[in-house]
Amino acid sequence: MQFSKVLKNFFLASILWAIGLSAQAQGIQKNTAWPKQAIRIIVTFTPGGAPDILARVLAESWQQSLGVPVLVENRPGYGGNIGADLVAKSEPDGYTLLIGTVGIHAINGALYEKMSFDPIKDFTPISFLASTPNVLIVNKKLGVSNLHELIELAKAKPDQLTFGSSGVGTSLHMSGELFKEMAGVQIRHIPYKGRAQSLPDLLSGRISMLFDNLSSSLSLIKAGEVQALGVTTLKRSHAAPEIPTLAEQGLTGFEAVSWFSLMAPANLPPSIQKRLNLMVRQTLSSPEVKSRLLSGGLEPAPGSPKDLSKLIASEASKWGRVVHQSGAKLE
């Protein structure tokens, strides 16, 4: 099922959840003793990317309202598995949280032969946070200005062009694998620990192209420092409507969305789960926060834990097939 259709159903169900949740909100806030100490939000990539931005938005808002420190910790590595493992093995007390990603919860289970945690069973879903298109950007010296020219160049130079991503198994890596499959080209993947490491190599020409979150690359695109060839959603982004989709340029049906969620260790008490869900909703529904995220290419859409679980199951099925077709496998 297409991500856009899943998300549409997700929105409708979330409205019903919100109605019930608002009636419980006052009771939840009065009856729980949580929180009494600092809260950690683990981000599994380096600072500056979309998951880091979302974590800091939540931390800033919650620290003001809760009266306890809310800390953001960056734990990059192994496609998000290092940070996710830390959270999976933490106490389910609401003090250690994770910015979940499509890579951690829907891709890595198929990509890695051995996992130190179960990407679904070892977590309590809290809420969907936001999604962003991925965008294909190239070094301007590559000499291509559209997708057709890039594909022709890649076919003329098999295995000579390279694409970077923020790590093996991320949606950015899988965007590249899906591109290779649908365009019929051979380009080499160069994984990094995060965009902070990959971007300088793109700008210097050490790699030919990069799949990145639109929210992270938008300022560079608008400044003319890189050439954007297309976004990976079925529809153009409101944040950059001038950038065509890959689908409309010949890769019909191409869709790869980076999405982010809030997760906690498994067996989190329901009262804390509901409190956290309410807090996410309150933060992301703020007009100031929504405007800030939308202008940066992130589309906030908080919802219920149940619908987040359904979305993860759907995405895991889709990306599991892509991983299998790509032949990618990691220990």
Side-chain angles (χ1 to χ4, degrees):
M1 184 181 294
Q2 293 175 346
F3 178 87
S4 53
K5 291 182 179 179
V6 174
L7 198 56
K8 181 179 180 181
N9 294 333
F10 177 86
F11 290 155
L12 295 175
S14 294
I15 293 173
L16 298 177
W17 168 265
I19 294 172
L21 191 65
S22 62
Q24 304 174 40
Q26 294 300 321
I28 293 170
Q29 290 178 330
K30 290 178 181 178
N31 294 334
T32 180
W34 179 93
K36 293 182 178 180
Q37 64 189 55
I39 298 169
R40 297 191 297 169
I41 303 178
I42 304 300
V43 176
T44 59
F45 296 96
T46 53
D52 186 71
I53 291 170
L54 287 166
R56 295 181 191 280
V57 165
L58 296 178
E60 180 182 352
S61 172
W62 295 354
Q63 189 157 286
Q64 293 176 358
S65 62
L66 295 176
V68 298
V70 183
L71 311 173
V72 176
E73 293 186 17
N74 297 88
R75 297 292 186 97
Y78 288 94
N81 286 350
I82 290 178
D85 180 75
L86 184 156
V87 176
K89 295 176 179 176
S90 296
E91 289 295 320
D93 52 15
Y95 293 111
T96 303
L97 307 172
L98 174 72
I99 300 296
T101 69
V102 59
I104 295 169
H105 302 291
I107 296 174
N108 289 359
L111 181 66
Y112 287 85
E113 292 186 358
K114 295 181 180 180
M115 296 276 285
S116 60
F117 61 91
D118 187 299
I120 296 178
K121 294 180 180 179
D122 287 343
F123 295 92
T124 298
I126 303 299
S127 176
F128 187 91
L129 296 178
S131 62
T132 182
N134 297 331
V135 61
L136 173 57
I137 54 178
V138 300
N139 182 289
K140 300 190 77 173
K141 294 180 181 179
L142 195 61
V144 299
S145 59
N146 57 55
L147 185 65
H148 176 74
E149 292 177 353
L150 175 64
I151 292 174
E152 289 300 308
L153 180 62
K155 288 183 176 179
K157 298 182 177 181
D159 287 319
Q160 293 185 44
L161 300 185
T162 54
F163 79 96
S165 77
S166 58
V168 175
T170 62
S171 72
L172 306 178
H173 172 207
M174 289 296 106
S175 293
E177 295 295 341
L178 188 61
F179 170 68
K180 287 167 57 179
E181 176 191 337
M182 294 184 69
V185 297
Q186 292 299 317
I187 50 178
R188 291 184 293 116
H189 177 225
I190 309 297
Y192 294 84
K193 286 188 175 181
R195 73 181 303 272
Q197 288 74 38
S198 63
L199 193 57
D201 279 3
L202 176 69
L203 295 174
S204 68
R206 293 186 66 183
I207 57 175
S208 312
M209 67 197 82
L210 176 68
F211 281 90
D212 196 11
N213 299 146
L214 178 62
S215 57
S216 301
S217 287
L218 198 54
S219 60
L220 291 172
I221 294 169
K222 292 187 174 181
E225 295 186 46
V226 295
Q227 177 71 46
L229 299 188
V231 293
T232 62
T233 41
L234 295 178
K235 295 183 179 180
R236 297 192 184 198
S237 169
H238 293 295
E242 71 280 3
I243 303 176
T245 68
L246 298 183
E248 72 185 73
Q249 296 180 80
L251 300 185
T252 304
F254 192 106
E255 185 180 33
V257 180
S258 285
W259 52 260
F260 311 97
S261 63
L262 187 68
M263 311 291 282
N267 302 313
L268 183 73
S271 62
I272 299 179
Q273 180 190 36
K274 291 179 180 179
R275 178 82 184 275
L276 282 165
N277 184 276
L278 175 64
M279 288 162 51
V280 169
R281 288 177 176 277
Q282 290 174 333
T283 298
L284 297 187
S285 64
S286 160
E288 180 182 352
V289 170
K290 287 178 67 175
S291 176
R292 173 181 167 189
L293 294 177
L294 285 169
S295 64
L298 280 163
E299 299 185 11
S304 74
K306 181 178 179 180
D307 288 298
L308 174 56
S309 294
K310 290 181 179 178
L311 179 67
I312 289 173
S314 175
E315 287 283 273
S317 176
K318 169 186 175 177
W319 290 114
R321 291 192 298 270
V322 175
V323 170
H324 176 73
Q325 291 170 359
S326 74
K329 208 68 180 175
L330 296 173
E331 293 184 359

